[in-house]
Structure formats: structure tokens, C-alpha cells
Amino acid sequence: MKKIFLFLLLAISANVFSQIMNPVKWTTAVKKISASEYELIASATISGNWHLYSQSVPKGGPSSTSFVFEPNANYLKKGNTNEDAGHTVNDPVFKMKITYFEGKAVFKQRIKLKKPNSKFKVNVVVEYMTCNDSQCLPPKEVDLVFDIK
């Protein structure tokens, strides 16, 4: 009985620890605009009182969110990755105006297919940093995949 209790305690602790150290969950979606144009949507769900920084953070501040699109002969990027408005505050720690997201953030990138109605995957690496009121986690990279059908 003691072994079962210990096992359950460790399993619950590991789950709580992993959630604390990974407060952002990413999902992807693809919206067809036309036969040759699509919108790639990366959504971040941000736990508790954690926040995720904008793509536009002044030099000397925390690491900004960035997206690196793996080169692919099937598409061309149209413009830059757009993001929601977020919250802009005078951050007392970094002593500058910083934009961040709480709860959820949505990033959108338009692409144009080189061959209309082709099927392939767009691989993207997102690098981001999260903080709460008492700590910041080091920047993290996550692989995202967008399935163009």
C-alpha cells in the first residue's frame, strides 16, 4: 500500500511540475483563403498567471517570440507574422514598455502556394519566453507543423 501511495504521489508531483515548467501549449490551424493562398494560425494557450512576450520587444528586454519557417519549395510567405494586440505595460523589472499576452495569443502568417491545391506540410520553429510575477523561464523552442491540404 505504501508503494502505491508513493507512486501516486510521485506521478501527481511530476504532472504538476511539468505544467509549471511548461506553461504554454501550442496548437496550429490552417485557413484556406483561396486556391493558392492560406493563413497559418498558431495559437498559444498560456496557463495561470504566466505571460508570453510579443514579437516586438525592445533591445535589452526579455526574449521576444519569433517564428522561423523552414524553407520549402511549395510556398512563399506573404508579409510578416501578425499577432493579437496583447497588453502593453511599463515593466518595472526591465524598465521599458513591453507587450505581452495572458491566457491566449494568436499569431497568423499568410502564405501563397506555388502550385494551387498542392498538399504539403509547413514546418515552423517558434521560440518564446514566459514569465510570471516571480520568475522567468529560459527561452524555449517548439516545433509546429501546419498541414496544407
Side-chain angles (χ1 to χ4, degrees):
M1 186 68 161
K2 287 182 182 180
K3 288 183 182 180
I4 292 173
F5 178 73
L6 181 60
F7 174 75
L8 288 174
L9 183 63
L10 288 173
I12 292 169
S13 298
N15 188 32
V16 169
F17 181 73
S18 68
Q19 287 178 356
I20 290 172
M21 300 317 277
N22 191 17
V24 178
K25 305 287 185 217
W26 291 90
T27 58
T28 60
V30 176
K31 180 180 176 184
K32 186 174 185 174
I33 306 299
S34 69
S36 64
E37 191 170 325
Y38 287 77
E39 186 171 61
L40 310 180
I41 304 164
S43 299
T45 302
I46 308 156
S47 299
N49 62 348
W50 290 90
H51 53 266
L52 170 74
Y53 291 102
S54 167
Q55 296 176 92
S56 302
V57 174
K59 188 175 181 178
S63 295
S64 60
T65 299
S66 65
F67 294 86
V68 177
F69 289 76
E70 184 178 291
N72 186 318
N74 293 306
Y75 75 93
L76 295 171
K77 281 178 49 183
K78 288 187 69 178
N80 295 320
T81 305
N82 296 316
E83 64 186 28
D84 292 339
H87 305 283
T88 301
V89 297
N90 285 314
D91 189 284
V93 174
F94 293 103
K95 296 182 171 84
M96 62 178 64
K97 279 191 176 186
I98 297 177
T99 301
Y100 66 86
F101 306 98
E102 292 178 314
K104 185 167 183 139
V106 178
F107 301 88
K108 297 177 181 178
Q109 175 66 58
R110 291 248 176 138
I111 62 168
K112 182 165 181 70
L113 307 187
K114 290 185 177 179
K115 294 179 185 175
N117 297 314
S118 56
K119 297 178 182 181
F120 59 94
K121 294 185 186 308
V122 176
N123 297 308
V124 178
V125 175
V126 58
E127 183 177 4
Y128 62 95
M129 183 174 171
T130 55
C131 294
N132 64 18
D133 292 337
S134 61
Q135 67 178 326
C136 290
L137 298 178
K140 182 173 184 170
E141 288 185 354
V142 172
D143 295 325
L144 303 178
V145 177
F146 297 90
D147 202 8
I148 308 299
K149 297 178 182 177

